[in-house]
Amino acid sequence: MSGSQIFSKLGERALDDHGLIHFYLDQLERALSDFDPARAEPEMLRTVAVRIDSFKERLAEHFGTEEDGGLLQGIQDVLPQTESDVRRLRGQHGRLGEALEKARAIARRGDPAEAPALKEELDRFLAMMREHEREEDALVKRALRQAEC
């Protein structure tokens, strides 16, 4: 199997995996849309923390697959001019993990007074994550088109 065929399989799998990440993001956004910081109770915050825990675990797997599974290196191999883009995306993985961890810590404390901060952190995380996924999807699609040539 040639390098471009291997990358094509990696790329297609990555796009499928991104679909799953979008599903989890949608679930988190739905939970957040029902979240009223003014009426937050400790148990509600802890429930949000459990959702964040689940998503955080899945996100760590996702980022690990991209970094250690060869996808980001494959993009760079197919499109050498994307080295700085790939480096930036890798850096975003760490920042996204930190942002999600910050929200999780707030939610776990279960303090209703921190509910507005939790909502703000999650809104910020979701915006960052959606933009990251859009950029990554676009890069994968570009690399797939190049690999087919």
Side-chain angles (χ1 to χ4, degrees):
M1 189 177 284
S2 73
S4 64
Q5 288 173 319
I6 292 169
F7 179 76
S8 290
K9 287 189 183 297
L10 277 173
E12 292 298 329
R13 195 170 345 150
L15 291 175
D16 290 343
D17 195 38
H18 281 194
L20 187 58
I21 290 298
H22 288 285
F23 170 77
Y24 280 102
L25 284 172
D26 291 344
Q27 282 189 322
L28 199 53
E29 282 180 332
R30 272 194 298 281
L32 196 55
S33 71
D34 295 337
F35 182 71
D36 180 0
R39 297 184 338 182
E41 296 176 4
E43 192 56 38
M44 181 188 303
L45 295 173
R46 289 187 191 102
T47 298
V48 171
V50 169
R51 286 184 189 263
I52 293 171
D53 281 339
S54 173
F55 182 67
K56 189 172 190 266
E57 186 177 306
R58 180 64 191 114
L59 192 61
E61 289 174 17
H62 173 69
F63 289 161
T65 298
E66 290 177 347
E67 292 180 11
D68 302 330
L71 176 70
L72 293 177
Q73 184 59 53
I75 290 170
Q76 199 170 322
D77 291 347
V78 172
L79 298 169
Q81 68 275 22
T82 64
E83 180 181 354
S84 64
D85 293 326
V86 169
R87 191 177 23 227
R88 185 175 41 75
L89 289 171
R90 283 180 198 261
Q92 287 175 358
H93 287 174
R95 288 189 297 283
L96 286 162
E98 290 167 6
L100 194 55
E101 178 56 34
K102 186 175 180 180
R104 183 176 77 121
I106 293 169
R108 277 188 159 183
R109 286 192 291 268
D111 181 355
E114 292 186 290
L118 174 60
K119 183 161 179 23
E120 184 178 313
E121 284 300 319
L122 285 174
D123 283 339
R124 186 174 73 85
F125 166 78
L126 288 167
M128 288 171 37
M129 189 67 201
R130 291 282 187 195
E131 181 59 27
H132 172 82
E133 289 296 294
R134 270 192 294 276
E135 290 177 24
E136 214 168 56
D137 282 348
L139 203 53
V140 168
K141 288 174 184 173
R142 268 181 55 205
L144 283 170
R145 282 193 301 274
Q146 182 64 33
E148 290 172 357
C149 294

